[in-house]
């Protein structure tokens, strides 16, 4: 089962390698990992989507907490969070296919970033599963290149995830 | 005060009460060594003969003092040599401060001479690490390093210092306080859970206490003895928990595990409630944790939440420092003295299943190592510290050398051959009042005998017992049992004459191969002042159990 884990860490060099090392060393499977700054410049936020049963996820959480530079870890329960991921995809788009692709873009909410005589580059920011569906429908046109950021997520509702350890 | 980073590093060590460091120098750590020389009145600088042994010696020292101990290596090969000791300490939760030199800051990443990314390479085996690039971080890094290494679940912390940084100057003051927002180890246990665990334990019909190395890490020996005696509950240990209980305590059953005592493993299977204290249920201690989990109520105290539920599911998890939690339990019992079941029937059941030890007659020209160790223990004072290496000799030492107040030190988690002699050097220096014996095989000894020189040089009075079976005995036995006796790569032909080898170091030595020499050796191990080596000749096919 997939789990979305948010991790607040000290914004130090080397933190990311400690975390990714931990995952490979302990045999945890990462689906995606996204890292970026937060409104507090001393803190970075890492969002990890990982695969595993409840026992594995509990271990992931505990092992992450053991890293000194990890301030707080939270695994989101189902429907407890809102999440987005950005995908950029460059697809074969000869003149006769362009309008079909445009229709798909319109339905899915993808935007055209770039266009050439033979290709189109589309961006779509959405949930992981919707990106996958988008990929499926665009695939037959011939994907030339694709990049995804990995999921980022925050808690739904008025509660928020703050750097105070514990809870 | 204005000073160089190297001087500041020395001030940090002094402020932490460090009296001795174990190291091996090289160009990249020379500025720090220079500063150490100026402080030689306060800090003894011990030159070991291999960096890993410096780490093991610091480990022995740390285990006896209960505080972080310091080892030092230069950049590149020196630092990389240290890794075995770091990993060994990590596996057994031993607090070490490992200081390494690094190439100049502007050369990092360019593969210059003797550059190794040691913070990267050691990452899986450290509790934390620092690469000091800014001189003004030195005080904070050291303060944090000592705090992190010695608190919570202890472990090694690495501080890597580029050579140019060591030479920089700063206005230095050692921080008085440490505050790491992301590191707040738990001390006391949750009160309600303490109550539940205590009730579950004392109301059980057949409870059993299992002690791991965490009891030493938390210095909770007295508390656990008091608890088991108060509730009249039998006790088993993992290899790391050996010597918390005196072997002659009637509640002590023995060590569990693959190489454990039959009766201890019997007790684990027969109990209805198992109380794990600072024991992580490693695979060598409990082979089938899932079976145990199904049949037995598991109560588990550990300071590391990640250990609870990792190898065995716990019905009653309790995160906290063993000493504090056990104190809480004892307080609770004092206030609520009712409710302890009668465990005498259960104790009798264990007693009745004990089988007396019988020693086989040794092959001519050899001695029975088990019997030798038992006799030695009877003759030695009670407070001996035993440093056992790895292999058959380790199992014999754990089972047959009776502990009555001294420590049993070994590499339990990593099983690192060569640990014993350097560990003994450190342990003896930490507490010179205790006789200290290293016990190893002829394989392990050839991985660490260079430390005899260290012992001679600094007058460290240890006794060394080398059990020579001319084989890597434990692997030989594995091949005998598991590979149809196809013995390969286990023959120690070409080994030196160990008595003569000792003589080359100026160390008196005795070969033990019959009853007479056995008697003499035991007498001398107990009475001789100064270093002594005893080569105990063991039959090549002598079984571990
Ligand atoms: C550094 C290291 N290398 C290899 C091993 C694997 N190993 C475990 S026991 C053993 C045999 C040890 O032989 P010896 O030191 O002669 O002791 P004995 O078993 O004969 O008492 C070996 C090679 C190890 N534990 N550590």
């Amino acid at each position: 089962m997939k789990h979305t884990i948010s991790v607040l860490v000290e914004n130090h060099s080397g933190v990311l390698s400690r975390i990714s090392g931990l995952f490979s060393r302990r045999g945890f499977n990462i689906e995606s990992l996204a890292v970026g700054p937060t409104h507090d410049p001393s803190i970075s936020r890492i969002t990890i989507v990982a695969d595993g049963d409840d026992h594995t996820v509990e271990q992931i959480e505990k092992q992450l907490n053991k890293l000194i530079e990890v301030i707080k870890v939270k695994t989101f329960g189902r429907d407890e969070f809102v999440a987005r991921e950005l995908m950029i995809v460059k697809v074969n788009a000869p003149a006769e296919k362009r309008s079909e692709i445009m229709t798909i873009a319109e339905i899915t909410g993808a935007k055209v970033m770039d266009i050439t005589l033979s290709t189109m580059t589309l961006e779509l920011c959405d949930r992981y599963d919707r990106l996958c569906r988008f990929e499926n429908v665009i695939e037959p046109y011939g994907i030339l290149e694709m990049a995804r950021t990995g999921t980022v997520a925050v808690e739904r509702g008025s509660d928020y995830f703050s750097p105070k350890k514990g809870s | 005060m204005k000073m160089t980073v190297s001087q500041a590093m020395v001030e940090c060590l002094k402020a932490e009460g460090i009296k001795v460091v174990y190291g091996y120098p090289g160009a990249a750590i020379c500025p720090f060594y220079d500063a150490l020389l100026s402080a030689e009145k306060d800090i003894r600088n011990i030159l070991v003969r291999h960096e890993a042994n410096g780490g093991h010696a610091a480990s022995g020292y740390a285990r006896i003092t209960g505080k972080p101990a310091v080892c030092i290596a230069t950049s590149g090969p020196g630092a990389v040599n240290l890794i075995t000791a770091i990993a060994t300490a990590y596996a057994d939760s031993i607090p070490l401060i490992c200081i390494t030199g690094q190439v100049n800051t502007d050369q990092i990443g360019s593969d210059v001479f003797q550059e190794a990314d040691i913070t990267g390479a050691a990452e899986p085996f450290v509790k934390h690490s620092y690469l000091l690039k800014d001189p003004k971080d030195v005080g904070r890094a050291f303060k944090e390093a000592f705090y992190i290494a010695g608190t919570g679940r202890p472990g090694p912390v690495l501080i890597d210092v580029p050579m140019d940084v060591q030479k920089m100057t700063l206005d230095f003051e050692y921080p008085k306080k440490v505050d790491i927002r992301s590191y707040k180890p738990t001390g006391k246990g949750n009160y309600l859970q303490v109550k539940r665990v205590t009730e579950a334990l004392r109301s059980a019909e057949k409870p059993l206490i299992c002690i791991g190395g965490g009891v030493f890490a938390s210095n909770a020996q007295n508390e656990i003895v008091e608890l088991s005696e108060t509730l009249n509950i039998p006790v088993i240990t993992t290899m790391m928990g050996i010597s918390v209980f005196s072997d002659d305590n009637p509640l002590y059953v023995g060590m569990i595990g693959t190489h454990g005592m039959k009766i201890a493993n019997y007790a684990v299977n027969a109990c209805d409630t198992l109380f794990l204290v600072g024991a992580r249920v490693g695979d060598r201690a409990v082979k089938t944790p899932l079976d145990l989990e199904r049949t037995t109520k598991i109560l588990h105290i550990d300071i590391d939440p990640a250990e609870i539920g990792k190898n065995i599911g716990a019905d009653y998890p309790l995160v906290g420092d063993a000493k504090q939690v056990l104190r809480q339990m004892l307080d609770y019992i004092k206030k609520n003295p009712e409710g302890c079941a009668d465990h005498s029937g259960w104790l009798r059941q264990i007693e009745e299943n004990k089988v007396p030890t019988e020693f086989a007659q040794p092959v001519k020209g050899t001695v029975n190592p088990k019997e030798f160790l038992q006799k030695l223990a009877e003759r030695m004072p009670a407070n001996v510290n035993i440093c056992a290496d790895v292999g058959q000799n380790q199992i014999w030492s754990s089972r047959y050398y009776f502990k009555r107040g001294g420590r049993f030190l070994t590499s339990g988690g990593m099983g690192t051959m060569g640990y014993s002699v350097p560990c003994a050097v450190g342990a003896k220096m930490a507490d010179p009042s205790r006789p200290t014996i290293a016990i190893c095989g002829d394989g392990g000894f050839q991985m660490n005998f260079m430390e005899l020189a260290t012992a001679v040089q600094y007058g460290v009075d240890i006794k060394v017992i080398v059990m020579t079976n001319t084989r890597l005995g434990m692997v030989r036995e594995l091949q005998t049992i598991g590979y149809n006796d196809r013995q390969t790569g286990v023959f120690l032909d070409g080994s030196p004459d160990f008595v003569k080898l000792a003589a080359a170091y100026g160390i008196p030595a005795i070969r033990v191969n019959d009853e007479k020499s056995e008697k003499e050796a035991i007498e001398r191990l107990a009475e001789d002042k100064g270093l002594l080596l005893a080569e105990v000749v063991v039959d090549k096919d002598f079984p571990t159990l």
Side-chain angles (χ1 to χ4, degrees), chain A residues 10 18 25-26 40 42-43 55 58-59 62-63 65-71 163 165, chain B residues 90 123-124 126-130 148 153 180-183 304-310:
Chain A
E10 297 289 347
R18 290 195 214 267
R25 184 158 75 238
R26 294 204 176 259
D40 178 343
S42 70
I43 296 176
H55 176 78
E58 182 187 323
Q59 264 297 307
K62 286 173 165 179
Q63 294 295 344
N65 264 317
K66 279 174 73 167
L67 295 177
I68 304 293
E69 287 151 324
V70 167
I71 303 167
K165 198 128 182 174
Chain B
Y90 187 70
E123 174 58 24
V126 292
K127 191 170 171 188
H128 195 48
S129 61
Y130 296 87
I148 291 169
R153 179 179 187 172
I180 310 169
R181 65 173 158 185
S182 52
Y183 177 71
D304 180 357
E307 287 305 346
I308 298 182
K310 186 176 88 180

Side-chain angles (χ1 to χ4, degrees), chain B residues 463-519:
Chain B
K463 306 289 187 272
V464 179
I465 296 172
V466 187
M467 304 224 158
T468 52
N469 50 9
T470 64
R471 300 287 183 278
L472 298 173
M474 184 157 273
V475 180
R476 190 280 306 156
E477 187 174 57
L478 178 68
Q479 293 174 348
T480 299
I481 297 169
Y483 296 84
N484 211 6
D485 203 25
R486 284 164 54 84
Q487 298 184 22
T488 176
V490 293
F491 305 102
L492 290 169
D493 303 327
S495 297
D497 176 324
F498 295 113
V499 172
K500 282 191 187 148
L501 182 78
Y505 282 99
I507 297 174
I510 178 167
R511 179 167 292 125
V512 184
N513 53 11
D514 58 16
E515 240 172 272
K516 183 165 160 285
S517 51
E518 184 177 68
K519 254 205 192 96

Side-chain angles (χ1 to χ4, degrees), chain B residues 84 389-394 396 414-418 440-447 467-476 490 492 544:
Chain B
T84 305
D389 214 80
V390 170
Q392 295 187 295
N393 62 87
Q394 176 186 36
W396 296 329
M414 191 56 64
T416 304
M417 282 171 71
C440 52
D442 38 359
F445 185 59
Q446 289 181 78
M447 283 196 182
M467 304 224 158
T468 52
N469 50 9
T470 64
R471 300 287 183 278
L472 298 173
M474 184 157 273
V475 180
R476 190 280 306 156
V490 293
L492 290 169
T544 305

Side-chain angles (χ1 to χ4, degrees), chain B residues 200-350:
Chain B
L201 180 66
R202 69 176 175 183
S203 65
E205 201 177 315
K206 297 178 178 186
L208 185 65
I209 298 175
C210 175
I211 297 175
V215 169
F216 281 117
S218 130
N219 192 24
Q221 297 94 302
N222 293 340
E223 285 75 10
I224 193 69
V225 172
E226 190 182 333
L227 184 80
S228 89
E229 287 177 348
T230 307
L231 301 179
N232 201 30
I233 294 176
V235 171
I236 53 168
T237 68
T238 66
M239 187 173 276
M240 291 300 292
I242 291 180
S243 74
V244 167
F245 264 71
S246 183
D247 277 286
D248 50 19
N249 187 315
L251 288 171
Y252 184 60
V253 183
M255 175 182 77
I256 48 163
T258 323
H259 291 113
M261 312 296 282
K262 256 207 187 95
I263 186 64
N265 288 327
Y266 167 82
V268 176
N269 290 324
C271 74
D272 61 10
T273 300
L274 184 63
F275 180 37
L276 298 159
V277 187
R280 65 191 170 94
V281 196
D283 54 321
R284 286 286 168 112
V286 179
K287 233 203 248 156
T288 51
L290 293 180
D291 293 348
L292 194 60
E293 193 182 301
R294 264 196 297 278
T295 55
T296 314
K297 201 182 275 176
I298 305 290
L299 326 176
H300 195 171
I301 307 183
D302 208 293
I303 195 154
D304 180 357
E307 287 305 346
I308 298 182
K310 186 176 88 180
N311 299 329
I312 193 164
D315 300 281
Y316 295 81
L318 179 42
V319 176
D321 169 60
K323 191 184 187 80
Q324 295 186 47
V325 171
L326 293 169
R327 196 33 70 202
Q328 286 175 284
M329 291 176 73
L330 287 163
D331 288 347
Y332 174 82
I333 292 166
K334 206 171 267 167
K335 286 194 201 109
N336 308 275
E338 301 300 312
C340 190
D342 176 12
H343 302 133
S344 53
W346 165 225
L347 285 165
R348 217 173 313 117
Q349 181 186 339
I350 294 175

Side-chain angles (χ1 to χ4, degrees), chain A residues 65-131:
Chain A
N65 264 317
K66 279 174 73 167
L67 295 177
I68 304 293
E69 287 151 324
V70 167
I71 303 167
K72 203 173 173 188
V73 183
K74 178 164 178 129
T75 305
F76 291 119
R78 230 174 222 288
D79 302 326
E80 243 180 28
F81 62 107
V82 287
R84 285 295 177 271
E85 177 174 358
L86 177 67
M87 170 196 266
I88 302 178
V89 57
K90 187 179 288 183
V91 61
N92 262 327
E96 67 275 15
K97 295 284 181 199
R98 263 182 226 151
S99 60
E100 272 179 41
I101 294 174
M102 284 303 293
T103 312
I104 292 173
E106 222 165 89
I107 295 168
T108 56
K111 279 189 252 160
V112 180
M113 302 172 85
D114 190 24
I115 184 160
T116 70
L117 283 177
S118 58
T119 68
M120 282 169 89
T121 303
L122 304 167
E123 67 166 283
L124 178 60
C125 180
D126 212 325
R127 285 194 338 232
Y128 173 88
D129 55 324
R130 295 224 192 101
L131 293 190

